[in-house]
Amino acid sequence: MNFNFSNAQERRYESAYRFALDVLDRDAQTRIAQRGLNLELWHQAAAYGFTLGPLSSQFGGEEMGALDTALMIEALGKGSRDLGLSFSLCAHLCACVIPLSRFGSDALKAQYLEPLVTGKLIAANAATEAEAGSDIYAMSSTAQPCDGGYRLNGKKIFITNAPIADLFVVYAKTNPDHGFMGVSAFLIEKGAPGLHIGETIPKDCLSNCPWGELTFHDLFVPETHRIGMPGAGGAIFHDSMIWEKGCLSALFVGVMERLLDTTLAYAKRRQQFGKPVGQFQSVSNRIIEMKLRLEQCRLMLYRGCWRHDQGQDAELDIAMSKLLISEYAVQSALDAIQTFGGAAMEQELGLVRELLNVIPSRIFSGTNDIQKEIMARKLGLRGGRG
């Protein structure tokens, strides 16, 4: 095992961290308090390279593997407190751009990938429904085959980027009797007749990352805008979740390191009873636990991404790392608040908001309960798909 990063990886990480800190973190707390996504910064971040990932150089990408992509996203989480902006970028890349690049036709890739990679277009993934969250294949949206394409009807909820998106990766049933094999994926443009985009729905966490609802009323989708083969939507969704759970979770590894650095610095300078609070065992033990959690998460995430890059089955590793990172990120945010005490309540410091922003990591990309079901299946304790 070689735990050393190459010079190129270290340079990329440091460059991404400096950009996130110097550009994206500037006035972050003001933007977050106003619950507004700064589209100019979104486009700057995309132009810098946060939406390039593993895409082919033919479309402006850098052909990075899962590990390199995760490292870059980790740097984003460490450098910028604007997690809403970061989450929006990662959802665009992991759940939309990557599946289109891996499964889209040559014509779709030629038309859309370059503007998606450079950030000229923003994408949203539309899978979740009111009765189809963890049980995603219980979706009721249908795409009925018709002359030259499909007629799409249904409603999607909790769609990140929906209010600002130019393109939508939409999953719908094309053959309801075939279960997992009866779902197909489609690429739909904003403004398509029959597509209604709801208003931004306020939320308490990741509050400046817009999300909303989509409704489809007899929307015609040309057959050329189907992603992959008919019935391949389940496999496409499953593949994109490997990338999303792995690489998007890296964002919260970066947050954990930022919380550790902030808490450690405070514990060294904050004086009580004539000495820094970090010299009290209860405080130092808390910070040591934060460090241990960070390193455990890194090792598990990096191993899962490395295995995926080697072409191995990394589903178990990715599920374990997603669960571990999300649970530990919440606990580290709580420990940071406990160490700062009353000062943690200051809005400008933003520690309470950090806690709120890491809580969704236990829910998105499959809840942690679902990750345990995946683990049980991979260990032979369950049948079928978890």
Side-chain angles (χ1 to χ4, degrees):
M1 291 179 289
N2 183 355
F3 292 97
N4 293 319
F5 289 124
S6 67
N7 290 336
Q9 287 173 319
E10 291 179 349
R11 286 195 301 269
R12 184 185 293 117
Y13 182 94
E14 184 61 25
S15 174
Y17 168 68
R18 294 310 313 181
F19 181 89
L21 181 65
D22 297 340
V23 179
L24 303 182
D25 194 57
R26 192 184 310 139
D27 300 323
Q29 296 294 48
T30 300
R31 296 195 306 273
I32 296 169
Q34 295 172 348
R35 295 174 175 249
L37 181 73
N38 188 312
L39 282 175
E40 181 180 348
L41 281 180
W42 198 103
H43 290 296
Q44 285 184 44
Y48 168 79
F50 284 114
T51 55
L52 294 177
L55 271 70
S56 166
S57 58
Q58 176 185 355
F59 304 105
E62 294 190 356
E63 302 184 8
M64 294 188 293
L67 178 57
D68 284 346
T69 302
L71 286 173
M72 194 164 184
I73 293 175
E74 180 186 331
L76 177 63
K78 179 183 177 183
S80 174
R81 292 167 295 172
D82 191 346
L83 272 188
L85 172 63
S86 300
F87 193 88
S88 173
L89 287 162
C90 292
H92 165 91
L93 172 64
C94 297
C96 303
V97 179
I98 290 177
L100 178 61
S101 71
R102 288 170 62 81
F103 299 100
S105 66
D106 290 341
L108 282 180
K109 289 189 285 189
Q111 183 175 357
Y112 293 110
L113 274 186
E114 189 274 336
L116 284 170
V117 168
T118 57
K120 296 174 185 175
L121 296 177
I122 298 175
N125 173 286
T128 303
E129 299 180 3
E131 301 299 328
S134 296
D135 186 8
I136 194 64
Y137 303 113
M139 67 178 66
S140 59
S141 293
T142 59
Q144 293 290 337
C146 64
D147 187 23
Y150 299 83
R151 290 289 176 183
L152 178 60
N153 288 279
K155 183 177 181 178
K156 303 292 184 178
I157 64 172
F158 306 152
I159 308 305
T160 297
N161 289 342
I164 60 171
D166 305 290
L167 291 170
F168 301 90
V169 175
V170 179
Y171 295 87
K173 287 185 175 179
T174 47
N175 194 331
D177 296 332
H178 287 190
F180 175 78
M181 299 297 293
V183 175
S184 298
F186 303 92
L187 190 65
I188 296 173
E189 291 189 8
K190 176 182 178 181
L195 170 63
H196 175 73
I197 304 171
E199 299 295 325
T200 299
I201 299 175
K203 57 185 187 294
D204 289 326
C205 48
L206 299 172
S207 58
N208 64 321
C209 176
W211 73 348
E213 299 179 349
L214 301 175
T215 306
F216 314 104
H217 292 293
D218 207 27
L219 188 156
F220 176 72
V221 186
E223 187 172 359
T224 55
H225 275 57
R226 188 189 63 236
I227 303 173
M229 299 296 291
I236 294 170
F237 181 80
H238 177 73
D239 182 85
S240 72
M241 284 300 101
I242 297 294
W243 283 90
E244 184 175 315
K245 282 187 288 190
C247 296
L248 203 159
S249 292
L251 183 67
F252 296 88
V253 174
V255 174
M256 289 173 67
E257 182 170 18
R258 176 158 46 79
L259 286 171
L260 173 62
D261 291 345
T262 301
T263 306
L264 182 60
Y266 181 80
K268 289 178 178 179
R269 71 172 183 269
R270 169 67 168 164
Q271 297 277 331
Q272 288 288 278
F273 302 100
K275 60 182 179 181
V277 297
Q279 293 187 18
F280 292 97
Q281 190 176 39
S282 59
V283 176
S284 63
N285 283 350
R286 195 180 299 132
I287 294 173
I288 289 168
E289 291 294 333
M290 293 175 73
K291 175 65 173 175
L292 285 170
R293 291 188 205 109
L294 171 64
E295 297 306 328
Q296 289 176 69
C297 289
R298 274 202 171 118
L299 287 171
M300 188 164 285
L301 176 65
Y302 294 172
R303 184 183 69 176
C305 290
W306 178 85
R307 291 194 67 188
H308 186 272
D309 288 341
Q310 302 306 307
Q312 301 177 23
D313 181 3
E315 186 179 16
L316 177 61
D317 301 81
I318 295 296
M320 289 191 298
S321 66
K322 189 271 184 188
L323 187 148
L324 198 72
I325 291 167
S326 58
E327 296 291 350
Y328 280 2
V330 171
Q331 187 57 55
S332 288
L334 286 169
D335 284 345
I337 290 171
Q338 188 68 36
T339 303
F340 272 79
M345 303 302 114
E346 294 180 4
Q347 191 176 63
E348 178 58 29
L349 181 62
L351 280 183
V352 174
R353 190 173 291 113
E354 293 275 27
L355 172 60
L356 287 174
N357 285 342
V358 298
I359 287 174
S361 65
R362 303 173 67 210
I363 300 168
F364 64 71
S365 303
T367 66
N368 284 358
D369 294 323
I370 289 297
Q371 303 314 310
K372 290 178 181 178
E373 289 296 313
I374 292 172
M375 295 175 207
R377 172 170 56 80
K378 298 298 289 187
L379 293 173
L381 298 171
R382 299 281 193 278
R385 302 193 62 84

